[in-house]
Amino acid sequence: MSNPQRYDIYEWNRQSYWSIVFFVFNFLKAIATNIPALIGLYTVLSKTGWNVFIFIALLLGLLTVLGLFSFIAFKRFRYKIEGDEFLIESGVFVSKKLRISFDRIQSININQSLIHRFIGVVSLEMDTAGSKGKEVHLSAISSKFAEYIKGTIYSHIEDNSSYNPLHEDETVTQERNKEKKVLFRLSASDNLKYGLLDNHLRNLLYVLALAFGLFGQINDLFEDQASNFIDNNINGMEATIMANIIFSVIVMIIFIMLIVLVISVGKSFLKYFDLKMWVTNKGYGMIAGLLSRQETHIALHKIQTLHWTTNPLKSKFDMYDLVLSQARSTDNDPKNNKVFTVPGMGKKGIKAILNDVLKEEIPDYFGASAFSIDSSYAKRFTFYSSIVPVIGIGVLSYFFGWNYMVYALLIAALFYVAYTLFQSNFRYIIGEKVIWVSKGVLGRTFEAAEVNKIQTIELVQSPYQRRKDLASLKLFTAGSNIKIPYIPLELAYQIRAYLLKEVNTSNEAWM
Amino acid sequence: MNGMESSAYNNRHLKIHEIAAIENQEYEFLDSKSRLASFIGSLITVLIIGIGLAVLLYFVMDKMPFPVPYILIGVYSTLALWMLIYPFLAYKKRGYIIRSYDITYKTGVIWKKVISIPYNRIQHSSIKQGPIYKTLGLSNLNIFTAGGSNSDLEIAGLKLEDANKLKAYITKKVGELDV
């Protein structure tokens, strides 16, 4: 495609010489997993009078053989295209031949890890239907050649109309070369900001829960010695020492918080480093990552639902996580339920994408067409959520003293505040073509799904809802689902009838 | 699909008073033998758990602190009673509606659920028969969509010939409406 004179995939090709490095690496990895065996071998041999030098000499010999093997492996690893198949020949002693027909290829991914970038090569993987791992893995080839292979195979697939239309979207990659209109880019400073504004409180709670769990286990292990120690010492202590302890606990929490912060900021920084998202005429593409660069694609017609989330801090800086849910190709396979997540996107970018995918503007969630849910939602859900903890704590209080019931009340109060906020924030709009939901306790999640993408409609009523003539609606799509709880029954009926009519009479394909 | 339209129920919702049709429809009940089938199923489960509990209590009743065995027996009897009554309660609450464009199924004694699936969203359907159903001439009709396992529909307790008829109708509809 880019240089047909130099590249010819229809003849046998070898990988870049650098692939030897990866062959060595793979062999070493195989050896590394056998290190216990090596140690065992060494101890056995040392008892029979062998010394360490002979062992090292043996190891060196092994490494030489390994280098040789890697070279042979490199020489014998060949690949080409023949007809509608991708052929690979490999194997050091036993020659292996692999034929992959194009209609089995789900996607072709080009990746570049840090080592790859240092050397200036890429790896190419082909995802094939009916196999768990990556059947085809070229560990080191030049990036131009990789693009050429990808383009060639995709154009083969495209030319042959008898192929599954599922593959259409994968040709996105090919389009990308012609037209790479960058829609969104996460700068390094925005990336840091994004990481810093993340919900660290939640992470801290996880860590604290873990720490308390550990304390409990240690306490159990030493039969309450730990808590006895703390009790005894605290009882006999002066106020100043108490203050010191409280101070050090606070310092400790701040310290843990800092560690959590550094880890999560670092993680998101590595993952989203130099993130680029671009538009093609078939869909979107995205690439990101510092240590290993991950490239993902999504086709417009495969998008089932869109949602974008923010927390109170991020919303101040106009940062949202946009998630495009793709249709799952098979059930019960989480790997197939792919989502396309763009972190730290601004409202402007989201508007552009909504315009592109849904051909609609973000509606006014407080306008005339927006509905809210019934206020009894907060009380009922507080009741449902707190009943188990309250009974649990109640039983404990029976044995250990009723003052523990304070915690039960506290939990119920927290639930009540959260559900009240959720209920008063919930807004939904049943548009002509799109269903919109806005919800959240402190942060916000916005959901949008085309009416046409709905697969199944479920109307649920609890005994309480039946008494109050309320119902909850669940709208299932092939991507994610939309729930509208606690709305008047009559309205639920109308919405259901409307949606069914729209879906029943729709001639548009949902995928 | 003009010929179909006249014979089957027409659910084109054109005017506002015609909207909201499902809730005004008469649901078709499942086969009356399905009560017996689920009762036998429940009975077997109740017996197995009961035997397990009896064996457990026989060996360790003395070692348990005072109220525990009685709590266990109480919980078991309540559950057993519920499981044995449930098939008869559930039967009255279950039903389906076939319309020219979609199928609706309702279920649930305490929490009620009404699931509607348009034919043009159905991926495939299948008929299943367990040993109890087989002897009673009943079957399960499963309808699958791309919406994941939570959105799939299982109509349990149809007469086998009804299930076959229904499946054939749905398959035909799916073929007609497929875009």
Side-chain angles (χ1 to χ4, degrees):
Chain A
M1 193 162 83
S2 45
N3 192 346
Q5 285 83 34
R6 240 185 89 202
Y7 302 131
D8 189 1
I9 189 65
Y10 298 99
E11 289 299 320
W12 285 113
N13 279 283
R14 286 205 180 87
Q15 303 187 76
S16 146
Y17 276 107
W18 286 108
S19 69
I20 299 176
V21 176
F22 293 97
F23 279 118
V24 171
F25 184 70
N26 279 339
F27 279 126
L28 277 178
K29 223 161 69 180
I31 292 175
T33 52
N34 289 317
I35 277 179
L38 279 179
I39 294 171
L41 188 71
Y42 174 68
T43 38
V44 170
L45 289 179
S46 60
K47 279 189 185 133
T48 58
W50 287 48
N51 64 34
V52 71
F53 294 107
I54 299 177
F55 190 72
I56 287 173
L58 260 177
L59 265 185
L60 283 176
L62 191 73
L63 282 177
T64 317
V65 173
L66 206 130
L68 204 67
F69 269 26
S70 301
F71 184 72
I72 297 171
F74 158 73
K75 275 281 176 199
R76 305 216 8 157
F77 191 101
R78 306 190 299 170
Y79 54 92
K80 71 169 177 179
I81 290 177
E82 202 179 272
D84 276 347
E85 286 176 327
F86 192 78
L87 264 59
I88 290 184
E89 267 186 24
S90 63
V92 178
F93 294 114
V94 184
S95 142
K96 278 187 283 190
K97 281 189 183 135
L98 189 67
R99 282 171 175 275
I100 287 138
S101 85
F102 289 160
D103 58 354
R104 273 185 60 219
I105 296 173
Q106 296 283 329
S107 67
I108 302 176
N109 303 311
I110 297 172
N111 292 319
Q112 204 175 25
S113 74
L114 199 62
I115 306 169
H116 280 103
R117 256 196 285 171
F118 183 70
I119 305 171
V121 292
V122 297
S123 70
L124 184 142
E125 287 174 341
M126 292 181 197
D127 235 339
T128 47
S131 73
K132 264 259 153 69
K134 307 269 185 282
E135 227 175 324
V136 176
H137 179 91
L138 307 179
S139 56
I141 56 175
S142 79
S143 96
K144 271 187 186 162
F145 192 40
E147 291 290 346
Y148 161 68
I149 295 175
K150 199 168 164 179
T152 311
I153 293 179
Y154 279 145
S155 58
H156 265 269
I157 293 173
E158 224 185 19
D159 290 346
N160 196 336
S161 54
S162 69
Y163 283 120
N164 191 328
L166 275 180
H167 298 303
E168 256 176 53
D169 61 300
E170 309 297 357
T171 45
V172 158
T173 331
Q174 205 194 337
E175 305 292 337
R176 184 171 60 88
N177 295 327
K178 294 181 206 155
E179 179 200 356
K180 194 163 180 171
K181 189 179 147 208
V182 173
L183 185 74
F184 173 66
R185 181 170 256 174
L186 191 68
S187 68
S189 65
D190 275 350
N191 191 352
L192 271 180
K193 220 192 291 171
Y194 175 84
L196 281 168
L197 300 174
D198 218 354
N199 191 349
H200 298 291
L201 200 64
R202 186 187 52 202
N203 299 346
L204 179 73
L205 285 178
Y206 284 148
V207 173
L208 284 184
L210 193 77
F212 279 123
L214 276 181
F215 179 78
Q217 281 178 14
I218 292 170
N219 202 12
D220 285 348
L221 196 65
F222 295 102
E223 289 164 346
D224 291 343
Q225 295 263 341
S227 56
N228 283 342
F229 174 81
I230 290 177
D231 284 347
N232 294 337
N233 285 290
I234 284 179
N235 288 337
M237 258 182 231
E238 306 285 332
T240 46
I241 305 179
M242 266 300 280
N244 272 336
I245 287 195
I246 291 172
F247 177 72
S248 41
V249 164
I250 291 172
V251 167
M252 215 140 88
I253 288 180
I254 291 173
F255 182 68
I256 293 173
M257 222 163 160
L258 273 175
I259 291 180
V260 169
L261 194 96
V262 167
I263 290 175
S264 57
V265 169
K267 234 169 86 180
S268 87
F269 188 78
L270 292 181
K271 198 171 162 196
Y272 302 129
F273 184 79
D274 193 22
L275 182 138
K276 258 181 281 179
M277 182 199 181
W278 58 88
V279 188
T280 66
N281 49 13
K282 288 236 165 98
Y284 303 109
M286 187 174 71
I287 190 162
L290 181 64
L291 297 179
S292 66
R293 280 185 87 67
Q294 187 87 38
E295 197 180 316
T296 25
H297 297 276
I298 190 165
L300 282 185
H301 68 92
K302 267 202 167 186
I303 298 173
Q304 301 293 315
T305 57
L306 300 97
H307 62 260
W308 55 108
T309 333
T310 188
N311 65 29
L313 283 173
K314 279 182 182 165
S315 70
K316 295 267 179 299
F317 289 87
D318 190 30
M319 279 187 158
Y320 296 84
D321 286 335
L322 175 72
V323 180
L324 309 178
S325 298
Q326 213 170 326
R328 7 177 137 78
S329 36
T330 52
D331 226 3
N332 303 326
D333 188 354
K335 209 187 111 201
N336 270 321
N337 188 6
K338 281 176 191 157
V339 288
F340 184 92
T341 309
V342 193
M345 205 173 200
K347 204 136 199 180
K348 217 179 112 205
I350 289 173
K351 271 183 185 161
I353 288 174
L354 286 174
N355 244 320
D356 206 13
V357 179
L358 305 172
K359 316 267 179 297
E360 292 219 15
E361 299 283 334
I362 299 179
D364 177 12
Y365 288 104
F366 295 92
S369 57
F371 291 98
S372 42
I373 57 173
D374 197 82
S375 60
S376 59
Y377 174 88
K379 277 178 225 143
R380 292 313 290 185
F381 270 76
T382 306
F383 174 70
Y384 292 141
S385 305
S386 10
I387 184 133
V388 171
V390 167
I391 288 178
I393 294 172
V395 169
L396 286 178
S397 331
Y398 177 78
F399 294 107
F400 300 107
W402 289 106
N403 48 347
Y404 281 95
M405 279 310 277
V406 175
Y407 294 110
L409 287 176
L410 202 69
I411 287 173
L414 272 176
F415 273 128
Y416 185 66
V417 170
Y419 283 122
T420 306
L421 282 172
F422 185 86
Q423 180 264 314
S424 61
N425 290 335
F426 200 103
R427 289 283 181 288
Y428 68 98
I429 296 164
I430 309 290
E432 226 169 277
K433 289 269 166 283
V434 182
I435 296 160
W436 307 86
V437 169
S438 157
K439 63 182 184 186
V441 176
L442 295 174
R444 283 291 180 283
T445 298
F446 302 92
E447 295 170 327
E450 269 175 282
V451 171
N452 186 38
K453 307 277 179 181
I454 292 172
Q455 300 280 337
T456 302
I457 301 171
E458 203 177 284
L459 191 145
V460 194
Q461 276 190 300
S462 69
Y464 175 81
Q465 284 176 304
R466 282 207 298 280
R467 282 204 302 279
K468 300 281 173 189
D469 270 341
L470 295 170
S472 300
L473 274 180
K474 269 191 210 169
L475 312 173
F476 293 90
T477 78
S480 62
N481 308 323
I482 288 183
K483 286 176 202 157
I484 305 174
Y486 281 67
I487 59 173
L489 183 62
E490 263 324 297
L491 188 57
Y493 282 156
Q494 277 181 31
I495 292 172
R496 178 176 65 182
Y498 170 70
L499 296 178
L500 278 176
K501 181 195 145 213
E502 286 297 312
V503 177
N504 285 340
T505 53
S506 154
N507 290 321
E508 266 175 77
W510 58 271
M511 198 179 92
Chain B
M1 45 185 96
N2 27 35
M4 281 310 304
E5 216 85 267
S6 49
S7 59
Y9 164 66
N10 186 336
N11 72 340
R12 288 173 300 127
H13 304 272
L14 295 173
K15 286 175 187 153
I16 204 80
H17 70 267
E18 283 178 54
I19 288 185
I22 294 174
E23 56 278 9
N24 300 331
Q25 292 304 302
E26 285 280 317
Y27 281 89
E28 292 201 43
F29 283 112
L30 300 166
D31 192 84
S32 54
K33 274 191 240 158
S34 69
R35 278 177 293 192
L36 181 64
S38 19
F39 179 75
I40 295 172
S42 293
L43 194 66
I44 293 172
T45 320
V46 164
L47 283 177
I48 290 174
I49 298 173
I51 291 168
L53 188 69
V55 169
L56 181 84
L57 287 181
Y58 179 78
F59 286 108
V60 294
M61 188 153 176
D62 307 339
K63 291 174 193 120
M64 281 182 182
F66 158 69
V68 177
Y70 299 97
I71 290 175
L72 281 178
I73 292 170
V75 169
Y76 169 74
S77 335
T78 320
L79 271 179
L81 192 68
W82 174 247
M83 281 178 73
L84 295 177
I85 300 173
Y86 184 80
F88 301 97
L89 297 177
Y91 174 75
K92 288 184 199 155
K93 307 286 180 194
R94 285 184 185 158
Y96 58 93
I97 298 175
I98 317 262
R99 309 197 296 179
S100 46
Y101 285 101
D102 50 40
I103 179 165
T104 298
Y105 179 64
K106 68 164 184 177
T107 177
V109 173
I110 296 175
W111 266 269
K112 291 191 173 180
K113 208 161 85 170
V114 184
I115 309 166
S116 309
I117 302 182
Y119 296 135
N120 61 7
R121 292 292 179 273
I122 292 175
Q123 296 280 317
H124 66 279
S125 54
S126 71
I127 290 174
K128 217 169 59 182
Q129 269 189 314
I132 301 171
Y133 271 25
K134 214 166 185 174
T135 38
L136 291 170
L138 297 176
S139 63
N140 275 344
L141 179 67
N142 291 61
I143 295 169
F144 301 93
T145 69
S149 50
N150 283 330
S151 67
D152 295 332
L153 191 62
E154 183 180 31
I155 305 182
L158 285 170
K159 218 182 279 170
L160 182 59
E161 51 189 275
D162 285 351
N164 278 324
K165 241 191 268 173
L166 205 55
K167 186 171 182 282
Y169 177 73
I170 289 170
T171 312
K172 191 172 152 232
K173 275 293 182 182
V174 171
E176 270 173 28
L177 298 169
D178 204 15
V179 278

